[in-house]
Amino acid sequence: MNTPVSSKPRPEEPTNRRHAAKRTRRLATLATVGAAALALTACTPGGPPVAALDNGDQGEITIAVFAGWPEGIAVSQLWSAVLEDEGYDVTLTDVDVAPGYSGVASGDYDLVMDSWLPNTHADYVDRFGDDMTDLGAWYTEARNTIVVNEDAPITSLDELAANADLFGNTIVGLEPGAGLTQITEEQAIPTYGLESMDFVTSSTAALLTELQARTDAGENVVATLARPHWAYDAYPIRDLEDPEGAMGPAEEIHSMASSTFDEDFATASDWLRDFELSEDDLLSLCNVMFNENGGAEGTDYEPIVRAWMDEHPDVVEALTGA
């Protein structure tokens, strides 16, 4: 079976790290001597005690968010709102992949929720995994795909070559340098004899525009995509079956935390270890964040996410067992 290639780049890791332990920065002063309701965790070496919540967890939590990875942005924003409602002070920090992993491993960040395993982020987990805590997978069907319109006359990639004319002899792709473009060129096209089709690459935005235009017009279209993506919720499309496994196996998306996360956030750790999000719910959340409400740089996602939470109370209650 072929190894999938991520459609997202792996940036270089910066040389500078913040090495100070997080707990030494989380200093709290009692407002009054009689503030008996404020629980205290144990003192860190050489430092004063750290304020904790009534459930025993530390009160401040920092989540590293991989910039440009929509599913990770979505679940991080969701959990930020949920944790804030439970009394935590949550900081979301946009980072590239390499400094995100190194920051969690060093304790600069407490958590990152978008680790693709066992393939896409394997190198980072090999490097930093011994200093991290794997809280488990919350999504298990991440994969590279080739999609068609929902009412297309074929269901499998092994039917595409014989029906290429029904799709204008064209496969619509992402950016030329994307990993998904590479796996399509090097694996899917030769495996299924699609060399006679034009593989048109441009940009993710152009691909999404083409999907919308073709499906709105009731026309056939075939394009590369990666699951999960909000396009599955926004447009009437479906994956073509891949009987030869040319696009690679499914991956899982894990939450990875600092080495002391279970100790520092025992209650939140239990919640996150039990966390699962259905594909329908994830795609719905991503669609309202990145499509229906713009999703441009600088978007304030909190009101969008909270409106979605109001419409999905059962999903929210399940996150903390409330």
Side-chain angles (χ1 to χ4, degrees):
M1 187 163 289
N2 300 292
T3 302
V5 181
S6 170
S7 62
K8 306 178 181 74
R10 294 179 176 174
E12 293 297 320
E13 180 182 1
T15 57
N16 294 325
R17 296 187 194 170
R18 293 176 293 166
H19 290 284
K22 178 171 290 295
R23 269 184 286 174
T24 62
R25 299 196 305 267
R26 294 176 175 166
L27 308 182
T29 303
L30 293 176
T32 66
V33 174
L38 183 62
L40 296 176
T41 60
C43 293
T44 55
V50 179
L53 303 179
D54 288 344
N55 64 17
D57 284 8
Q58 291 187 15
E60 299 178 14
I61 185 168
T62 301
I63 302 175
V65 184
F66 292 156
W69 294 62
E71 70 288 335
I73 296 170
V75 297
S76 298
Q77 289 281 344
L78 175 61
W79 271 101
S80 176
V82 169
L83 291 169
E84 290 277 1
D85 288 347
E86 294 290 334
Y88 297 80
D89 182 5
V90 182
T91 299
L92 299 177
T93 303
D94 291 340
V95 294
D96 288 331
V97 175
Y101 275 104
S102 65
V104 173
S106 66
D108 287 335
Y109 310 121
D110 298 305
L111 177 69
V112 63
M113 305 192 69
D114 204 16
S115 292
W116 286 49
L117 298 173
N119 299 306
T120 300
H121 290 151
D123 291 347
Y124 298 111
V125 174
D126 287 345
R127 290 177 62 188
F128 301 112
D130 288 345
D131 297 314
M132 302 174 73
T133 302
D134 187 347
L135 300 179
W138 56 266
Y139 182 81
T140 59
E141 289 298 325
R143 62 173 67 240
N144 293 316
T145 64
I146 293 181
V147 301
V148 292
N149 47 296
E150 200 168 53
D151 57 353
I154 64 173
T155 61
S156 177
L157 277 167
D158 59 10
E159 300 175 280
L160 182 55
N163 295 278
D165 58 324
L166 300 178
F167 297 89
N169 290 296
T170 300
I171 302 171
V172 183
L174 302 172
E175 290 77 7
L180 179 53
T181 298
Q182 179 183 348
I183 198 171
T184 301
E185 290 176 331
E186 297 180 0
Q187 300 292 338
I189 288 175
T191 296
Y192 292 106
L194 306 176
E195 290 88 351
S196 64
M197 297 186 72
D198 293 329
F199 184 33
V200 179
T201 58
S202 176
S203 68
T204 300
L207 180 146
L208 295 171
T209 298
E210 187 73 4
L211 280 178
Q212 181 171 11
R214 293 284 193 92
T215 54
D216 284 352
E219 299 174 354
N220 291 325
V221 63
V222 58
T224 62
L225 202 60
R227 184 180 290 274
H229 194 285
W230 58 258
Y232 286 98
D233 192 66
Y235 311 131
I237 57 176
R238 56 179 168 81
D239 295 339
L240 286 177
E241 297 172 5
D242 180 17
E244 300 299 325
M247 301 301 289
E251 292 197 79
E252 298 180 338
I253 305 180
H254 288 233
S255 296
M256 302 291 289
S258 65
S259 61
T260 62
F261 193 85
D262 286 336
E263 174 187 350
D264 296 340
F265 304 98
T267 300
S269 177
D270 287 342
W271 294 337
L272 288 161
R273 287 180 184 277
D274 291 338
F275 171 46
E276 294 179 355
L277 195 62
S278 74
E279 182 162 79
D280 286 346
D281 289 332
L282 175 60
L283 297 181
S284 170
L285 177 60
C286 288
N287 192 18
V288 299
M289 290 176 62
F290 306 117
N291 180 37
E292 294 179 2
N293 290 282
E297 185 176 353
T299 297
D300 182 4
Y301 290 120
E302 182 175 1
I304 300 170
V305 171
R306 288 199 175 276
W308 185 91
M309 291 167 64
D310 289 342
E311 296 175 359
H312 298 79
D314 293 345
V315 175
V316 176
E317 290 170 7
L319 298 182
T320 60

